Amino acid sequence: MNIQESTQKYDQPLTSVRWEGDSLQLLDQRLLPETIDMKNLTTPEEVWKAIHSMVVRGAPAIGIAAAYGVVLGAKQYTGGDKLEWLQQIEQVCAYLATSRPTAVNLFWALDRMKNKASRLAASEDGISGFYGALLAEAASIQAEDEEVCRLIGEHALPLLSDGMGILTHCNAGGLATAKYGTATAPMYLAHEKGMKLKVYADETRPVLQGARLTAFELQQAGIDVTLLCDNMAGMVMSKGWVQAVIVGTDRVAANGDVANKIGTYSLAVLAKAHNIPFYVACPLSTIDLNTASGELIPIEERPEHEITEGFGKRTAPQGIKVYNPAFDVTPNEWVTAIITEKGIVRAPYKDNLAALFR
Ligand SMILES: CSC[C@H]1O[C@H](OP(=O)(O)O)[C@H](O)[C@@H]1O
């Protein structure tokens, strides 16, 4: 366990997921911003728990961590039978798929690892090379995500201008991806080009990913960021401080409905009311053409204590009824455009999203 104070300025953005030697290092995002603690994981069970408890969170980061979780499962196989090895990999994938239900990147990454394992098992290659081949596949998923996020930022840049106010929600930042983030990618690239943006970050109750993660990473990068309570978004929009809303997503349905952190739908309605564009930034790995529309997206409900406790004490009466959905769905008609690594997609989303995969 490596604990450091996070008050120091870091030269490089923090990496939330890192493979080192033959184990997985995860930055415990539950402890940010005050503590930097890298956890060392060596089993799929530890990866499942890390995803479920949000040690690692954010759709792409969850997928990358799960991919390395499959590699840890492959390391556990000591036999010599290819079919038996494949069955073990398929069992690990099925197990890791139960860690969280909404972010489609988890299932996308596991399917990619399962397909790689199937090709290996069907090949003439010796089983001794399978572990290395799976590790290379997981590393490719991570490396590709970094490039994909950078491209999302590049495609978003024409939507931005010097001095612009951008409001974002939760953390769709470098900590939620391999690097750059999705919603934050244009902010980082604009900053690199000397563009002055004013970012407003919703704290994002109840887990405070905006306050603890987005505000932290943008401040570390030297980007002008102002922290808001979630209930302030309407007011700052009414003051004319916001010229665009940019958020990430955990799953885009085939018709363009968007599942994202709870509170996103409210922002979309507020943005429409103030005639402010509402952009969703996401990689193709977060677009799920197999889910026709938003009401079919499974919405995770999380533990009550995330709402009834905070700031080191109970913040609600004992026994109070609690509803704690971690996500909501924004209907596609409220979405101005979806920014992907292949470019900006606008309505009609069903046809235009499908065209991305042709
Ligand atoms: C770039 S995906 C980020 C996405 O994931 C977050 O959810 P969680 O923190 O619960 O994993 C949130 O919905 C972000 O928009």
Side-chain angles (χ1 to χ4, degrees):
M1 197 157 71
N2 166 26
I3 295 181
Q4 306 161 15
E5 283 308 312
S6 66
T7 48
Q8 72 182 65
K9 185 79 176 67
Y10 290 84
D11 298 335
Q12 288 300 321
L14 291 173
T15 303
S16 56
V17 182
R18 196 169 59 223
W19 182 267
E20 273 188 9
D22 61 359
S23 62
L24 177 62
Q25 305 289 319
L26 293 181
L27 174 62
D28 189 340
Q29 298 193 37
R30 300 172 303 179
L31 305 180
L32 289 174
E34 69 280 1
T35 303
I36 311 290
D37 181 12
M38 293 302 288
K39 298 212 179 306
N40 183 60
L41 287 73
T42 58
T43 68
E45 291 74 16
E46 289 174 335
V47 175
W48 188 99
K49 191 174 176 194
I51 294 171
H52 187 74
S53 63
M54 297 175 73
V55 164
V56 59
R57 35 67 48 202
I62 288 171
I64 296 165
Y68 284 121
V70 177
V71 177
L72 292 172
K75 206 171 79 174
Q76 292 175 337
Y77 182 73
T78 54
D81 181 287
K82 289 185 178 182
L83 187 58
E84 195 180 67
W85 176 86
L86 180 58
Q87 287 167 345
Q88 156 104 355
I89 297 303
E90 288 170 344
Q91 285 167 11
V92 170
C93 288
Y95 167 68
L96 289 170
T98 65
S99 53
R100 288 186 78 186
T102 305
V104 73
N105 294 65
L106 171 63
F107 313 104
W108 172 84
L110 292 172
D111 284 348
R112 179 160 158 180
M113 295 300 285
K114 219 168 10 180
N115 293 338
K116 179 67 179 180
S118 298
R119 294 195 300 274
L120 286 168
S123 74
E124 296 303 314
D125 299 346
I127 194 168
S128 61
F130 285 9
Y131 169 75
L134 269 193
L135 178 55
E137 189 71 10
S140 297
I141 289 172
Q142 182 167 19
E144 289 165 23
D145 185 68
E146 178 173 332
E147 175 57 13
V148 158
C149 288
R150 195 190 60 75
L151 286 170
I152 289 170
E154 292 287 355
H155 286 301
L157 279 178
L159 301 171
L160 308 183
S161 55
D162 208 41
M164 187 173 184
I166 299 174
L167 189 143
T168 192
H169 190 68
C170 197
N171 174 254
L175 290 166
T177 64
K179 190 179 177 184
Y180 297 114
T182 55
T184 60
M187 302 170 194
Y188 284 122
L189 269 64
H191 185 63
E192 284 174 10
K193 296 176 185 299
M195 197 186 292
K196 298 288 181 219
L197 300 175
K198 289 185 72 62
V199 179
Y200 296 93
D202 278 352
E203 64 174 353
T204 316
R205 273 191 57 81
V207 181
L208 303 181
Q209 291 94 321
R212 297 187 302 104
L213 307 177
T214 300
F216 170 67
E217 65 170 272
L218 294 183
Q219 185 187 56
Q220 281 281 327
I223 293 172
D224 181 337
V225 56
T226 301
L227 179 60
L228 302 176
C229 293
D230 301 331
N231 53 14
M232 299 173 185
M235 180 194 189
V236 296
M237 288 184 190
S238 70
K239 284 176 171 292
W241 295 354
V242 176
Q243 282 71 52
V245 176
I246 307 180
V247 297
T249 175
D250 295 79
R251 190 181 311 212
V252 179
N255 70 344
D257 292 347
V258 169
N260 196 47
K261 186 51 54 200
I262 187 71
T264 302
Y265 173 48
S266 311
L267 277 184
V269 174
L270 281 168
K272 180 81 91 176
H274 292 86
N275 199 26
I276 295 171
F278 181 86
Y279 299 117
V280 176
C282 79
L284 267 61
S285 54
T286 306
I287 298 170
D288 177 9
L289 298 184
N290 297 319
T291 298
S293 59
E295 68 268 7
L296 300 173
I297 298 174
I299 299 298
E300 177 186 18
E301 289 196 32
R302 291 194 61 85
E304 298 182 356
H305 68 75
E306 290 181 352
I307 293 179
T308 60
E309 294 169 13
F311 317 109
K313 61 180 185 177
R314 280 193 68 79
T315 53
Q318 289 279 3
I320 189 70
K321 279 194 287 184
V322 172
Y323 177 46
N324 184 17
F327 303 98
D328 58 25
V329 173
T330 301
N332 64 75
E333 55 265 28
W334 300 91
V335 178
T336 307
I338 298 174
I339 307 163
T340 75
E341 65 271 32
K342 285 196 173 180
I344 296 177
V345 179
R346 297 178 189 272
Y349 288 113
K350 190 172 185 325
D351 295 342
N352 292 339
L353 290 175
L356 294 173
F357 295 85
R358 290 193 192 113

